[in-house]
Amino acid sequence: MSIRHGLLALLDQGPRYGYQLRVEFEARTGATWPLNVGQVYTTLGRLERDGLVVPDSEDEEGHLFYAVTDKGRAELRSWFDTPVPRTSPPRDELAIKLAMAVTVPGVDVHAVVQAQRRHSIKALQDYTRLKARALAGESTSSEGDDRSDLAWLLVLDQLIFQTEAEVRWLDHCETRLAQYSERQADLPAPSAASDAPKARRRTRA
């Protein structure tokens, strides 16, 4: 997730100070990826260092406003115009967990999969309820009243699709694990005769 570009997108609409940026960022994403003010100001410092924003003014309460520069607008447009790359996908903790679980003796991989499936299905139900409430609120508001509602719905859709895909992947993992167990069961067991020469050699030694 690019906090950097998210803040640039907000500043492109006018100067803002740190707490405003935090509140607006969370409003547009439904606080799915909550920020703290420290993260915001750290990112603003880096944006200022790179010439993408500049301090603009202060209000009567001492809040320092930041404004986007022409270079910052160019960076933002490039971000919007460039597809998110899939060449270096982010680390997925669940995929790593299952990859480790199948290689560590004594781990009940089926139990790991089932526990995750229960959790994912509950999350999917929660997201679906949130979407229903968001749609109900959207239907009672005037058309074009608040684009933040649309932004939140898009985020919810992504979360729902992602979680549905995760549940399907877990089902696929169960099938693959069952197939592996069947292949292992079909392998011939080591014969006692093949072990006998080794035992005799050890005895003579």
Side-chain angles (χ1 to χ4, degrees), residues 129-152:
R129 281 192 290 269
L130 284 172
K131 181 178 179 179
R133 288 201 291 269
L135 287 171
E138 183 186 64
S139 65
T140 59
S141 63
S142 60
E143 186 175 354
D145 181 52
D146 190 355
R147 294 180 70 86
S148 293
D149 291 340
L150 174 60
W152 173 219

Side-chain angles (χ1 to χ4, degrees), residues 112 127 151 157 174 181 191 194:
V112 174
Y127 293 146
D157 286 337
E174 281 276 87
S181 296
S191 64
S194 63

Side-chain angles (χ1 to χ4, degrees), residues 7 10 16-37 40 148:
L7 298 188
L10 295 172
R16 287 164 170 77
Y17 60 87
Y19 185 75
Q20 286 178 318
L21 290 167
R22 174 197 171 191
V23 170
E24 291 191 36
F25 184 94
E26 293 188 352
R28 299 188 191 200
T29 61
T32 303
W33 303 283
L35 297 179
N36 60 56
V37 174
V40 172
S148 293

